[in-house]
Amino acid sequence: MLDQFTLIYRYDGSFDGLLCCVFESYDKKEIPTEIILPDISQTLLFAAKEIRTDVQKANRVLASIPEKMGFDALNFIQRAFLTCAPKKELYILLFLRLGYRHGRSVMDMLADDAVHTLFKAVKHLDNESHLLKGFVRFSIFSNVLVAEIEPKNCVLPLMTQHFCERYPEERFLIYDKTHGMALVYHPYQSAIIPIDDLELPEPDEQEQSYRALWQLFYDTIEIQGRHNPKCRMGHMPKRYWKYTTEFGSSSKKSLLKLENTAKFLIP
Amino acid sequence: MDVFDKLKILTDAAKYDVACTSSGVNKKAAAGGIGNAAASGICHSFSGDGRCISLLKVLMTNACAYDCKYCVNRKSNDTPRASFTPRELAELTINFYRRNYIEGLFLSSGVLKNPDYTTEQMIEALRILREEYRFFGYIHAKAIPGTDSGLIAQLGMLTDRMSVNIELPSQSSLQMLAPDKSKHSILAPMKYIQNRIQENSTDIIKYRHAPKFVPAGQSTQMIIGATPDTDFQILNLTEGLYKKYKLKRVFFSAYMPVAENDLLPTLDTTPPLWREHRLYQADWLLRFYGFTANELLDEHHQSFNPYLDPKCNWALHHMDFFPMNVNRASYTDLLRVPGIGVNSARRIVIARRTATLQFNDLKKLGVVLKRAQYFINCGGKVIGSLKISQDKVLRSLMSEKTLGMYHQSFPLQSQAEQLSLFEQPPMILSGFPQEDHQRCLTNSL
Ligand code: SF4
């Protein structure tokens, strides 16, 4: 009985690893109460069950998802995996179990707890990646566009297509500080690579003057008689201000070593 | 004059234009080009007044030969003048665009010399952007009333969206305040653009690569509160514009007093932001909720209720329509419930395929129960058979403060009188609830 309440899976943090948790859950006819990452220290009262990532098992689960519940569901849980929702792994597992039982209609079960939680999380992810498509600010250093973001969700995969289609002839880099990774692009290839740190050079004169022009535009476009900071905050929460030029923040230097990625950017 | 000074003057002169959306078209850069567009539009920032900044919104020039009384750029106003050269403007746009400051350009202009000359300048700037920089991002251009249709056609081939401003909601207001413009000079280019869009769409069916004319459609805007035109007139005009001219959007801008003139509200008038807000809500109801202008206002009720949004106001007048069973009601009927928006209605229709919905499910689907609860049930037994007083509904729809003000304006009150209160809102709006000024336009009501 006790086991029923305390079954904890520990996986390696990869999507394949999570699929193996699903495999295990079916194989052993058990439902974990928690699925945790390797770096969660062992302060738990109960030992966690290590789930080894086995690509073959993962692939079997992966192939079964569109078959049983459609491609929408697969796409959905892939995005759910990118979210910052607490316990997303467990909810994905519960979602899939529901999907194996009910088929495609799992996507309609919006009032179910797991489905609802994941829909909310994915909506948050979609919102954040949409907002950031606008809020990303590039600085240009020797003709390479460099930007920094600090998103809550892992948004880079959802921004790739947009920025590749926007700047097909440019070389650019978007550094996600939260997750320690970067989207890098040069014509006509993109990749998401792990990066620890990045050091930006001083902006040159041209870069500085465009920043100043943008700030000037930003300050001038406001209709003073309609000043409404609450409304602005609602649309553009303060946590996004840090990296936006108009709030005078891009002079702040972050440690960003451009040479590390130069190999990729300058082929 | 350097480009900083020009940018300052020409932004300042353009800021009263409302539209800044980059929506309505999906595209990506061709090889060798730069720029894409997303149909949903992308906001790049929000200014201190809470408005979305999507496009570099500037005038080509603020030197104007016309003398529209409500406009800061009018000939008779003593203000510094500047003009961009087409190349300056193109360069500024592309450099902002590369840094992801903007989604594109919104180009308008004062009338420099004459409408044709002005439009030629605009065309040249856009030509540089499109041809030399191979810019595929979003461009919205204003058609200047009185421009030759051949030039409008050229401009339209370079832009994603065009707009002709209605400016004022009636011919008489126009005559009074914009002596150089007429209903005809505004509606003629609007009609022309609409026809070209239509022709073009058949061309595109015939020849897949036919160049696109104004693919994101046209919009317009009008000033609210500079003239005595009523909400009812404005909303009817708006509906007409959507139907007759197939406009994508109609924008409203609360009049900001910029000039001392006997014909205009005095300089210390506060802009009627609440009216603007109500108009946007009503506009939303026309476009997405299946309402008609006549359902929201009519000859006898020409102004919006300042205390209730138009949808709630409608619902309270149509209590016989409710309560509605959310497990059976059609999508279009669901849209009529206060507290249910386009998204939650859609989710209800999906979710009820697999389950019979209960009140706590509705919350998860995004329904604002605080508002909706009086207008819906979940089938089966209705919780209690409590007769709901209008006051109770009102209480749920308004904050304490607003309710207090509402009661102040309408001292109580027999049941019959209470009902009539909804019919004609008071015109005195000085002490108008602050939160309505503060609130931004929400996407669903
Ligand atoms: S035409 Fe009228 S509204 Fe337009 S800029 Fe000139 S004065 Fe202003």
Side-chain angles (χ1 to χ4, degrees):
Chain A
M1 266 309 268
L2 198 64
D3 270 354
Q4 274 301 307
F5 294 109
T6 57
L7 181 61
I8 296 168
Y9 283 179
R10 188 199 302 275
Y11 80 122
D12 66 357
S14 70
F15 189 65
D16 277 352
L18 180 57
L19 294 179
C20 291
C21 295
V22 176
F23 190 96
E24 181 75 9
S25 156
Y26 268 91
D27 197 40
K28 298 285 168 14
K29 300 190 172 51
E30 61 189 21
I31 301 176
T33 45
E34 236 179 295
I35 301 178
I36 58 171
L37 288 165
D39 51 2
I40 306 265
S41 63
Q42 190 63 284
T43 52
L44 302 156
L45 229 42
F46 305 97
K49 184 168 176 182
E50 298 292 337
I51 306 297
R52 214 171 43 80
T53 300
D54 174 336
V55 182
Q56 258 174 356
K57 282 183 190 166
N59 282 342
R60 271 175 64 188
V61 177
L62 187 69
S64 71
I65 298 171
E67 211 173 282
K68 298 280 192 223
M69 53 198 110
F71 279 99
D72 284 355
L74 175 60
N75 180 282
F76 177 68
I77 58 151
Q78 281 169 334
R79 281 189 300 156
F81 189 68
L82 299 175
T83 66
C84 61
K87 297 217 236 174
K88 64 181 177 194
E89 294 91 345
L90 184 65
Y91 284 116
I92 290 174
L93 180 134
L94 293 174
F95 176 92
L96 288 174
R97 291 189 67 100
L98 211 57
Y100 287 122
R101 193 142 32 99
H102 297 281
R104 279 168 198 277
S105 61
V106 64
M107 291 292 282
D108 297 341
M109 302 170 86
L110 304 182
D112 177 88
D113 233 7
V115 183
H116 168 65
T117 307
L118 292 182
F119 263 87
K120 236 174 51 189
V122 168
K123 200 174 155 213
H124 181 219
L125 165 81
D126 287 347
N127 273 346
E128 189 175 41
S129 71
H130 178 77
L131 287 179
L132 278 169
K133 281 174 193 169
F135 297 161
V136 162
R137 296 286 176 269
F138 288 103
S139 296
I140 302 181
F141 301 106
S142 24
N143 224 17
V144 177
L145 282 47
V146 184
E148 218 177 328
I149 55 175
E150 229 171 288
K152 287 188 178 158
N153 298 286
C154 186
V155 292
L156 285 181
L158 300 191
M159 296 171 58
T160 307
Q161 189 191 1
H162 171 77
F163 281 105
C164 294
E165 288 178 356
R166 185 178 170 98
Y167 301 122
E169 304 298 328
E170 305 274 3
R171 280 172 287 155
F172 67 79
L173 178 153
I174 304 173
Y175 171 47
D176 172 348
K177 206 168 161 185
T178 320
H179 301 90
M181 49 170 90
L183 165 64
V184 284
Y185 174 89
H186 71 77
Y188 303 96
Q189 257 179 353
S190 72
I192 292 176
I193 57 173
I195 285 190
D196 308 328
D197 241 347
L198 214 46
E199 195 171 345
L200 289 172
E202 280 297 315
D204 62 18
E205 211 177 294
Q206 198 191 33
E207 175 60 28
Q208 277 173 8
S209 68
Y210 279 112
R211 287 179 187 178
L213 280 164
W214 174 244
Q215 280 176 16
L216 175 73
F217 175 78
Y218 180 83
D219 293 337
T220 314
I221 200 75
E222 175 180 355
I223 299 178
Q224 305 289 338
R226 306 182 57 137
H227 188 64
N228 191 345
K230 237 164 92 189
C231 181
R232 168 170 63 186
M233 202 73 90
H235 288 300
M236 194 181 193
K238 225 170 188 146
R239 70 186 181 90
Y240 293 111
W241 293 19
K242 191 164 162 194
Y243 297 105
T244 40
T245 322
E246 52 271 36
F247 298 106
S249 48
S250 47
S251 50
K252 181 198 74 63
K253 254 170 285 136
S254 68
L255 295 177
L256 184 69
K257 285 198 200 63
L258 211 47
E259 307 87 70
N260 290 352
T261 46
K263 281 192 276 347
F264 187 88
L265 290 166
I266 302 153
Chain B
M1 190 183 283
D2 73 4
V3 82
F4 276 85
D5 296 326
K6 288 188 181 182
L7 181 65
K8 188 163 172 50
I9 292 171
L10 294 168
T11 302
D12 202 44
K15 71 184 176 194
Y16 296 103
D17 239 300
V18 204
C20 192
T21 59
S22 55
S23 55
V25 62
N26 257 322
K27 57 178 179 174
K28 58 181 178 185
I34 174 171
N36 58 352
S40 59
I42 292 178
C43 289
H44 283 253
S45 192
F46 289 86
S47 54
D49 51 24
R51 296 187 304 163
C52 158
I53 300 176
S54 183
L55 306 171
L56 170 61
K57 180 160 61 180
V58 288
L59 300 189
M60 194 78 220
T61 173
N62 70 334
C64 191
Y66 287 3
D67 205 35
C68 310
K69 308 253 179 314
Y70 49 81
C71 176
V72 278
N73 304 317
R74 67 191 184 282
K75 186 172 61 184
S76 59
N77 194 21
D78 180 24
T79 185
R81 309 283 173 172
S83 307
F84 280 123
T85 66
R87 191 158 298 276
E88 269 169 354
L89 184 62
E91 237 162 68
L92 194 61
T93 307
I94 211 78
N95 273 291
F96 277 10
Y97 193 85
R98 284 184 81 200
R99 289 168 175 80
N100 207 42
Y101 297 163
I102 52 168
E103 213 38 30
L105 176 65
F106 178 5
L107 185 57
S108 179
S109 186
V111 181
L112 186 60
K113 294 185 192 160
N114 57 56
D116 285 355
Y117 179 80
T118 312
T119 305
E120 279 162 8
Q121 294 286 300
M122 292 166 72
I123 289 173
E124 176 58 9
L126 302 191
R127 188 200 61 77
I128 295 172
L129 269 175
R130 291 294 199 215
E131 286 174 15
E132 294 183 25
Y133 288 107
R134 299 189 48 75
F135 177 65
F136 287 79
Y138 200 89
I139 296 179
H140 177 165
K142 256 319 154 39
I144 313 280
T147 305
D148 171 73
S149 58
L151 289 172
I152 299 234
Q154 273 184 51
L155 194 61
M157 297 310 294
L158 296 163
T159 58
D160 296 284
R161 170 163 288 181
M162 282 185 83
S163 56
V164 191
N165 282 0
I166 288 273
E167 309 285 16
L168 297 168
S170 67
Q171 165 79 336
S172 55
S173 300
L174 265 180
Q175 239 160 26
M176 205 162 62
L177 296 175
D180 306 297
K181 294 175 182 167
S182 68
K183 196 170 147 199
H184 175 78
S185 74
I186 290 167
L187 292 182
M190 201 181 268
K191 187 83 209 156
Y192 177 79
I193 293 168
Q194 186 208 344
N195 289 341
R196 285 301 310 265
I197 292 174
Q198 220 149 24
E199 278 167 34
N200 185 242
S201 66
T202 46
D203 284 355
I204 288 170
I205 295 168
K206 272 191 266 175
Y207 324 100
R208 206 159 57 82
H209 294 293
K212 293 202 172 81
F213 183 88
V214 195
Q218 64 172 329
S219 63
T220 191
Q221 74 168 36
M222 59 186 101
I223 299 166
I224 306 307
T227 53
D229 308 290
T230 66
D231 295 337
F232 177 58
Q233 288 167 327
I234 294 168
L235 199 62
N236 257 319
L237 173 64
T238 303
E239 189 176 60
L241 288 168
Y242 284 130
K243 283 195 180 139
K244 248 178 101 182
Y245 294 90
K246 301 276 177 292
L247 295 193
K248 281 281 152 60
R249 283 297 299 272
V250 175
F251 293 95
F252 311 99
S253 92
Y255 176 68
M256 305 289 297
V258 291
E260 191 79 67
N261 190 307
D262 290 347
L263 298 171
L264 286 166
T266 53
L267 279 179
D268 55 4
T269 315
T270 47
L273 294 178
W274 72 274
R275 260 186 91 187
E276 182 193 283
H277 183 67
R278 287 278 178 265
L279 278 163
Y280 275 120
Q281 290 178 319
D283 169 80
W284 219 270
L285 294 176
L286 297 185
R287 289 189 298 137
F288 301 116
Y289 287 74
F291 281 87
T292 61
N294 276 309
E295 285 180 294
L296 301 173
L297 294 170
D298 57 50
E299 289 291 343
H300 307 291
H301 309 93
Q302 299 238 349
S303 306
F304 288 114
N305 188 319
Y307 298 100
L308 285 173
D309 70 64
K311 189 176 171 186
C312 285
N313 198 40
W314 180 87
L316 280 168
H317 275 97
H318 296 82
M319 289 307 271
D320 50 321
F321 202 74
F322 305 101
M324 193 180 282
N325 178 350
V326 288
N327 282 302
R328 320 210 33 182
S330 69
Y331 172 75
T332 42
D333 282 352
L334 286 171
L335 286 179
R336 301 239 155 186
V337 180
I340 296 184
V342 170
N343 283 325
S344 42
R346 196 176 38 78
R347 288 193 207 113
I348 288 173
V349 173
I350 292 174
R352 71 188 183 188
R353 286 184 207 144
T354 56
T356 303
L357 300 174
Q358 302 301 328
F359 268 90
N360 52 345
D361 296 328
L362 293 177
K363 215 172 214 156
K364 291 186 205 155
L365 303 179
V367 174
V368 186
L369 276 182
K370 192 167 169 273
R371 294 167 154 254
Q373 57 182 332
Y374 301 103
F375 303 98
I376 55 174
N377 63 47
C378 296
K381 247 179 81 184
V382 183
I383 348 149
S385 61
L386 36 128
K387 262 203 124 178
I388 293 154
S389 73
Q390 214 147 30
D391 188 62
K392 189 156 182 217
V393 179
L394 277 172
R395 200 172 287 280
S396 79
L397 300 178
M398 293 177 182
S399 69
E400 281 299 316
K401 205 169 132 209
T402 319
L403 194 68
M405 302 188 67
Y406 181 87
H407 283 318
Q408 237 175 19
S409 325
F410 308 110
L412 292 171
Q413 123 205 130
S414 76
Q415 189 64 28
E417 273 169 352
Q418 202 176 0
L419 257 171
S420 71
L421 297 177
F422 292 103
E423 284 164 13
Q424 189 58 59
M427 290 310 290
I428 27 95
L429 295 155
S430 43
F432 197 68
Q434 193 57 29
E435 54 199 299
D436 247 15
H437 292 243
Q438 296 292 336
R439 213 184 304 132
C440 319
L441 180 68
T442 42
N443 286 9
S444 42
L445 302 167

